[in-house]
Amino acid sequence: MKIRPLHDRVVIRRKEEETKTAGGIILSGAAKEKPNQGEVVAVGNGRVLASGELRPLDVKVGDVVVFGKYAGSDTITIDGEELVILNESDIKAVLV
């Protein structure tokens, strides 16, 4: 199944959750935090400005991005994979 987000929305696949801390402690399922990094898998056409112009998004498919810890409350499951839908403004940075 394919997905195409509307306007300035972005679909992101979260990175795998860490199972060990930097000190080597293994985390249980309840102690794990959802990662705030992920790969962009789909982008919308862009934001429609008040003038009617379309401003394209700054991110593209394949970019690895950092987003807010509590951003992306909209999650969907497609083909058994959980994806996050968020606005472009929720993305903090693109990792290069």
Side-chain angles (χ1 to χ4, degrees), residues 12 15 17 20 25-27 30 33 37 41 49-50 55 59-61 63 65 67 70 73 75 80 83 88 90 93:
I12 295 178
K15 279 192 161 184
E17 297 178 27
K20 273 205 279 188
I25 299 172
I26 297 176
L27 299 172
E33 291 186 13
Q37 294 182 13
V41 294
L49 303 175
R55 186 186 69 79
V59 296
K60 62 185 181 305
V61 174
D63 283 348
V65 296
F67 49 92
Y70 300 106
S73 59
T75 60
L83 302 172
E88 182 188 32
D90 292 334

Side-chain angles (χ1 to χ4, degrees), residues 8-92:
D8 66 335
R9 291 182 180 84
V10 179
V11 179
I12 295 178
R13 177 185 306 120
R14 286 188 194 261
K15 279 192 161 184
E16 291 293 320
E17 297 178 27
E18 293 294 324
T19 57
K20 273 205 279 188
T21 65
I25 299 172
I26 297 176
L27 299 172
S28 69
K32 293 179 189 174
E33 291 186 13
K34 292 202 178 226
N36 64 342
Q37 294 182 13
E39 179 185 356
V40 176
V41 294
V43 296
N45 292 332
R47 176 177 291 258
V48 178
L49 303 175
S51 64
E53 289 184 53
L54 186 67
R55 186 186 69 79
L57 301 180
D58 291 329
V59 296
K60 62 185 181 305
V61 174
D63 283 348
V64 177
V65 296
V66 177
F67 49 92
K69 184 172 240 164
Y70 300 106
S73 59
D74 298 329
T75 60
I76 59 168
T77 303
I78 296 180
D79 297 333
E81 182 176 32
E82 186 174 294
L83 302 172
V84 180
I85 300 174
L86 45 93
N87 288 332
E88 182 188 32
S89 60
D90 292 334
I91 296 174
K92 307 298 182 199

